[in-house]
């Protein structure tokens, strides 16, 4: 039995075959009438019929020509779609996606719809038969990608009757690119790069965000993408960024003028975190009974606490008191800060729980290139790898490529952060400096006890003797 080709995927051969199958009787009628005697009435009817037939044929040719793809990439997409539809039953059977049919001797494979294209990726809707689940389709995603010549395949959806197989044939994130920053801020998101379809990708500002990636994976692109993307509200005073750079200031010092507060050593970093906690708690008291959600104003801006190399504060610090204070302040900020406009954006290389005890308080996570599958699961969750997040397979030649786990529970999204150059940082920092800069001051240590001024003693009044003492 021949499978019907969807109208939008037909070629000229398909259209002509359909025409011959459906309209053969018209040609036969013309031939028969042409052999009849030349009766005037019959001849007139024959001529009118021929004219109508020619008109309909011309209309069909015009409509079909307009529907046919003209560009080479459109023809390629049509051919790939036809190949998927034609070969799907055999491919599905060979990769183990067939189940015995109910009441029949044959095998049943998942049903699919015509592919829908987004750039160089297509989405194929799949309805799984009973006996197959989402995990079966996910387990065979790589084999399906190879069978159809795609670079990668991911599975979306939860219900077996409404799954989507996404096939990517060209990597839109293969080459580095730059963003035109800064841009007008919408108050909710920050433009950071592009997604797997080549469309703009923006990171939501609000959830506490954790960026994890090995050395050289592109964490700086996300740090500077955030700062340059917020340059306009920083300059206007709606947003303040308090920066901590445990690389000795090597990373953030280039854009120092964008930061309201800045710390590079351990002690000042802990003081900055504790100052953020104190300001957060004071704002919570001020907003209590008035609103449950902070709205940024010039008098009450959104505070972004930006931390580079977070593990230097939470795990590698040798001073136990500073280590304890840093973890306590970070946990308090991450658990209470969002509603009152205090947001933590932190980067680190080692995502283990021992390195960051408060890891579970970061609800928006970004996984750059990581060392193994276990680290990917630590950052993006247990089901992320099965859903297509392969942070451990990102090439070292593509810094900035990452998988983002949205806060709303959607599957991980493959993205790439834009390339940020030193010249871009200097230019934006010089034009969009923060309206105020508050230094982080280390309080004076208490004086030694022997050097502290002694309070003047008041002379003691003579003790009154008891009668017993007087008698003796």
């Amino acid at each position: 039995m021949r499978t019907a080709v969807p109208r939008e995927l037909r070629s000229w051969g398909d259209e002509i075959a359909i025409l011959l199958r459906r309209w053969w009787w018209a040609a036969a009628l013309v031939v028969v009438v042409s052999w009849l005697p030349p009766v005037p009435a019959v001849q007139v009817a024959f001529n009118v019929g021929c004219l109508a037939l020619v008109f309909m044929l011309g209309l069909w040719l015009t409509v079909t020509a307009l529907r046919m793809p003209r560009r080479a990439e459109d023809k390629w997409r049509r051919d790939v779609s036809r190949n998927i539809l034609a070969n799907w039953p055999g491919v599905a059977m060979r990769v183990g996606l067939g189940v015995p049919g109910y009441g029949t001797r044959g095998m049943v494979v998942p049903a699919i719809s015509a592919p829908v294209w987004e750039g160089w990726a297509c989405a194929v809707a799949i309805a799984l038969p009973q006996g197959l689940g989402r995990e079966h389709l996910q387990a065979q995603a790589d084999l399906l990608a190879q069978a159809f010549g795609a670079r990668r395949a991911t599975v979306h959806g939860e219900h077996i009757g409404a799954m989507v197989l996404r096939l990517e044939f060209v990597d839109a994130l293969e080459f580095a690119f730059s963003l035109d920053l800064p841009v007008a801020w919408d108050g909710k998101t920050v433009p950071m790069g592009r997604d797997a379809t080549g469309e703009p990708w923006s990171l939501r500002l609000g959830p506490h965000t954790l960026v994890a990636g090995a050395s050289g994976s592109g964490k700086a692109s996300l740090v500077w993408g955030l700062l340059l993307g917020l340059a306009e509200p920083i300059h206007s005073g709606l947003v303040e960024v308090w920066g901590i750079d445990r690389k000795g200031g090597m990373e953030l010092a280039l854009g120092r003028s964008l930061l309201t507060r800045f710390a590079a050593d351990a002690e000042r970093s802990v003081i900055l975190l504790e100052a953020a906690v104190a300001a957060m708690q004071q704002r919570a008291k001020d907003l209590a009974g008035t609103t449950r959600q902070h709205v940024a104003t010039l008098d009450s801006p959104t505070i972004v606490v930006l931390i580079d190399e977070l593990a230097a504060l939470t795990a590698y610090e040798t001073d136990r008191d500073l280590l304890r204070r840093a973890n306590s302040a970070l946990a308090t900020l991450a658990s209470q800060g969002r509603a009152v406009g205090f947001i933590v954006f932190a980067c680190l290389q080692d995502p283990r729980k021992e390195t960051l005890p408060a890891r579970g308080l970061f609800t928006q996570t970004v996984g750059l290139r990581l060392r193994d599958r276990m680290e990917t699961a630590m950052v993006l969750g247990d089901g992320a790898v099965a859903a297509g997040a392969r942070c451990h397979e990102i090439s070292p030649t593509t810094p900035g490529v990452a998988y983002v786990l949205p806060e709303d529970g959607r599957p991980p999204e493959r993205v790439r952060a834009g390339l940020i150059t030193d010249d871009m940082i200097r230019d934006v920092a010089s034009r969009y400096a923060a309206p105020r800069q508050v230094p982080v001051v280390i309080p004076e240590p208490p004086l030694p006890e022997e050097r502290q001024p002694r309070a003047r003693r008041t002379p003691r009044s003579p003790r009154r003797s008891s009668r017993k003492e007087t008698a003796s």
Side-chain angles (χ1 to χ4, degrees), residues 47-57:
N47 293 337
V48 172
C50 287
L51 288 176
L53 191 62
V54 170
F55 174 77
M56 293 177 63
L57 184 62

Side-chain angles (χ1 to χ4, degrees), residues 184-346:
W185 187 46
D186 62 4
K188 298 179 181 178
T189 61
V190 182
M192 301 290 280
R194 298 175 186 166
D195 61 18
T197 65
E199 295 298 316
W201 162 59
S202 295
L203 190 69
R204 188 179 175 194
L205 186 69
H208 302 301
T209 304
L210 178 66
V211 179
S215 178
S217 60
K219 292 188 294 295
S221 295
L222 288 160
V223 169
W224 288 109
L226 176 74
L227 276 172
L228 301 193
L230 290 175
E232 188 178 87
I234 286 174
H235 187 61
S236 66
L238 280 177
V239 173
E240 289 186 1
V241 179
W242 296 12
I244 295 176
D245 184 0
R246 289 310 315 278
K247 293 179 181 177
M250 183 177 177
E251 185 67 52
L252 296 181
L254 194 61
R256 174 70 180 83
S257 61
L258 294 170
L259 306 176
T260 301
R261 307 196 76 178
F262 176 67
D265 59 79
E267 189 170 5
R268 285 184 173 83
S269 298
V270 173
I271 291 173
L272 186 149
L273 285 176
E274 291 177 337
V277 170
M280 175 199 71
Q281 292 173 341
Q282 182 58 50
R283 181 179 290 180
K285 291 179 182 178
D286 296 339
L287 296 178
T290 303
T291 181
R292 294 188 301 157
Q293 187 65 45
H294 171 263
V295 177
T297 63
L298 295 179
D299 295 328
S300 180
T302 296
I303 307 291
V304 179
V305 180
L306 174 62
I307 310 173
D308 194 18
E309 297 300 337
L310 176 61
L313 277 176
T314 60
Y316 307 148
E317 177 56 49
T318 56
D319 188 318
R320 290 184 176 273
D321 182 59
L322 290 179
L323 184 68
R324 176 190 59 79
R325 290 164 58 191
N327 278 301
S328 176
L330 183 66
T332 305
L333 274 175
S335 61
Q336 303 176 19
R338 178 176 179 176
V340 291
F342 280 75
I343 303 165
V344 181
F345 187 100

